[in-house]
Amino acid sequence: MRGRAWTWLSLGAALLLAVVLYASTFVVSYGDLLRRQDPLLAADVARIAPARVAAVAAARDVEQLQAVLRDARQRGLKVSVAGSRHSQGGHTYTAGGVVLSMRTFNRVLAIDTITPAITVQSGATWDEVQRALAPHRLALKVMQSSNIFTVGGTLSANAHGRDVDVMQVVEVVQRFRLLLADGSVVEVSRTQHPELFGLVIGGYGMYGVILDVTLRVTRDELYEQNAVAMDYAAFPAYFAQHVAADSDVALLLVRPSIDPSPDAFLRELVVVTWRRAQPGADASFALTEEAHVWRDRFFLELSRRYDWAKRWRWSLQKQIELGAGEHRVVSRNNAMRPPLAPLELLQYHSRRNTDIIQEYYVPVENFVPFMDRFREILLTGKMNVISSTVRYVAPNATPVLAYAPKRPAFAIIQMSNVGLSAAAQARARDVTRQLVDAAIDLGGTYYLTYQLYPTAAQLHRAYPNARRAFDRKRFYDPTELFSSQFYEAYGHTPD
């Protein structure tokens, strides 16, 4: 009897261990623990098209950067500029080339507390910039959803953030220095080399190496965070009446439902706003950090694998965002930091699949018809959507490759989990091209920061200035020293 009980206990322990080990695969990639990293196999965070490069170089001063370019020219090698490598379209490497890693070129050079402004080297991350600004009670005007990205990478993609007053990073750039292909350094602003100003911001590293940047910043202040749930069709009117018309609303983020049911998917929205707090409001200005990473990764991985988990996660996310009965006050800096803007949560590696982000810009008046088409294409294509957000973008035609040059737009962002097999990639490519067509047909564009799925014809339809951008690239870099998978895919294609 005792032996039988021991057997059952052993079986129970073995079963429990098996369950624990299986659950642990949701947060730990055991294959990575045994995998030897090849330093010359370059990839970005999407890992869709890795390529072997000749070298990876880093530098801490301009002379070292110039030496890297000089050596590459002598050896006949192409150079790609890399920061945090979160652009997903091969912008940071090319086969057989040199990857110039800028992360060691990251010093904060000056903080002007009067203007206010900050001058920082391009390899600094936004986290490092926030840590420099916070003691002066200063904050950023524009930063994308996570602070892991580099300043230079953000300029190269002309990224945008949650601010409803100043959205695109081009709006806060006062000046920058640029290292050209011939090794010379030029000062660039709206008055000095203004053509380069519009080419380099949103130019994906095609024109040179951004060295240091002066950015307009703002005072750190307190916001009251509020959220309301609504049907997607009601959002444009709500935005006009309660966001655009309210000067106290500083930040906006919209989360559409990821519940995959046809009657729920992308239909319900949670609209989160941060309004300037009333006098007397109190909250800490100390910078927050990410917490509960393993727990959140577990739930995210569940939703990668199971539809029921998506429904559950959306229900939990909605409750957390709405914060029923809570009065939430947060500083501007912390509204742009974890846990409100997580980053460790999103670190993911699987040999079978990957997370990709895609983004489409549509005029405000066409938001509802685009969302209808967006939903239909994603459901028909059986895309495994695990996250979606919507932001507002005001028009700005300064970048030559402007994604919202003329009309106010909503940016619709999706994160999907896609397979890495040839068949899975072909399906993701087909769905993406349908989504790009839908955006263009409704007067919009798509973001060039992500995968190389769109055709050259689609790129030129969405960006009529692309031919000029590529021609001027060859004017400033006649030997095409700076290159990337992105430039190789589109730089020499006909209109």
Side-chain angles (χ1 to χ4, degrees), residues 7 13 20 24 44 77 82 104 185 199 232 252 258 335 406 434 441 486 495:
T7 299
V20 169
S24 70
D44 49 43
L77 300 178
T104 55
V185 176
L199 288 167
Y232 75 104
L252 167 75
I258 59 168
K406 298 178 181 178
Q434 293 179 56
D441 290 345
F486 170 82
D495 294 353

Side-chain angles (χ1 to χ4, degrees), residues 86 144-149 162 253 255 289-291 293 296 300 313 317 321 334-347 415:
H86 274 254
Q144 59 264 63
S145 59
S146 295
N147 60 13
I148 192 174
F149 308 120
R162 302 178 180 183
L253 185 68
R255 296 195 187 277
E289 307 295 343
E290 195 158 4
V293 175
D296 294 343
L300 182 57
R313 185 167 149 247
Q317 188 177 45
E321 294 286 5
N334 287 331
M336 298 179 174
R337 289 184 61 81
L340 290 177
L343 46 102
E344 288 186 55
L345 159 68
L346 302 178
Q347 294 175 6
M415 177 185 285

Side-chain angles (χ1 to χ4, degrees), residues 80 199 279 450:
S80 305
L199 288 167
Y450 300 121

Side-chain angles (χ1 to χ4, degrees), residues 115-431:
T115 305
I118 186 169
T119 301
V120 61
Q121 290 181 328
S122 61
T125 65
W126 292 111
D127 176 58
E128 291 166 338
V129 175
Q130 285 181 316
R131 293 182 189 280
L133 290 174
H136 302 279
R137 199 63 66 85
L138 296 174
L140 295 164
K141 281 295 289 179
V142 179
M143 189 197 81
Q144 59 264 63
S145 59
S146 295
N147 60 13
I148 192 174
F149 308 120
T150 62
V151 173
T154 296
L155 264 67
S156 294
N158 187 31
H160 58 89
R162 302 178 180 183
D163 198 297
V164 296
D165 173 41
V166 175
M167 299 89 181
Q168 303 180 38
V169 75
V170 66
E171 300 175 59
V172 299
V173 177
Q174 295 182 343
R175 42 71 60 195
F176 59 87
R177 285 195 305 158
L178 185 70
L179 174 60
L180 294 172
D182 64 4
S184 63
V185 176
V186 293
E187 181 80 11
V188 181
S189 68
R190 288 173 176 80
T191 56
Q192 292 180 273
H193 299 286
E195 182 182 53
L196 277 172
F197 190 86
L199 288 167
V200 172
I201 300 179
Y204 297 95
M206 292 190 290
Y207 304 91
V209 184
I210 300 171
L211 297 175
D212 50 67
V213 186
T214 300
L215 302 164
R216 179 165 57 93
V217 297
T218 189
R219 306 295 172 187
D220 203 1
E221 55 187 359
L222 296 182
Y223 299 139
E224 294 177 352
Q225 181 182 339
N226 298 286
V228 59
M230 68 184 65
D231 184 80
Y232 75 104
F235 174 61
Y238 179 88
F239 174 83
Q241 296 169 17
H242 300 283
V243 179
D246 187 345
S247 60
D248 281 332
V249 174
L251 305 175
L252 167 75
L253 185 68
V254 182
R255 296 195 187 277
S257 169
I258 59 168
D259 182 337
S261 306
D263 61 345
F265 184 55
L266 301 179
R267 292 185 181 275
E268 185 177 28
L269 308 180
V270 173
V271 181
V272 188
T273 55
W274 289 264
R275 301 181 80 256
R276 291 178 178 84
Q278 296 296 316
D282 184 47
S284 174
F285 285 91
L287 296 181
T288 54
E289 307 295 343
E290 195 158 4
H292 310 300
V293 175
W294 280 41
R295 179 201 67 187
D296 294 343
R297 280 184 185 169
F298 178 80
F299 288 124
L300 182 57
E301 178 62 10
L302 273 177
S303 67
R304 286 188 184 98
R305 303 190 192 191
Y306 307 110
D307 282 354
W308 62 263
K310 288 186 179 67
R311 297 186 188 97
W312 184 31
R313 185 167 149 247
W314 170 246
S315 178
L316 290 173
Q317 188 177 45
K318 185 167 59 172
Q319 292 176 37
I320 292 170
E321 294 286 5
L322 291 172
E326 292 186 45
H327 180 66
R328 298 176 175 178
V329 180
V330 62
S331 71
R332 182 182 180 90
N333 268 324
N334 287 331
M336 298 179 174
R337 289 184 61 81
L340 290 177
L343 46 102
E344 288 186 55
L345 159 68
L346 302 178
Q347 294 175 6
Y348 176 70
H349 194 286
S350 167
R351 295 184 180 183
R352 297 182 301 275
N353 54 64
T354 186
D355 293 341
I356 64 171
I357 299 176
Q358 298 176 319
E359 186 166 347
Y360 307 92
Y361 303 89
V362 293
V364 166
E365 63 271 21
N366 289 336
F367 173 76
V368 172
F370 176 78
M371 291 299 285
D372 289 336
R373 190 79 183 99
F374 191 56
R375 182 187 312 107
E376 176 189 0
I377 293 170
L378 291 172
L379 288 173
T380 302
K382 298 181 179 179
M383 289 292 281
N384 184 12
V385 178
I386 56 176
S387 181
S388 183
T389 57
V390 177
R391 298 189 196 132
Y392 172 67
V393 178
N396 191 307
T398 301
V400 174
L401 293 175
Y403 46 70
K406 298 178 181 178
R407 299 154 75 182
F410 286 127
I412 297 95
I413 304 132
Q414 71 166 59
M415 177 185 285
S416 297
N417 183 258
V418 300
L420 290 170
S421 69
Q425 283 296 298
R427 181 159 60 90
R429 186 181 306 114
D430 179 64
V431 169

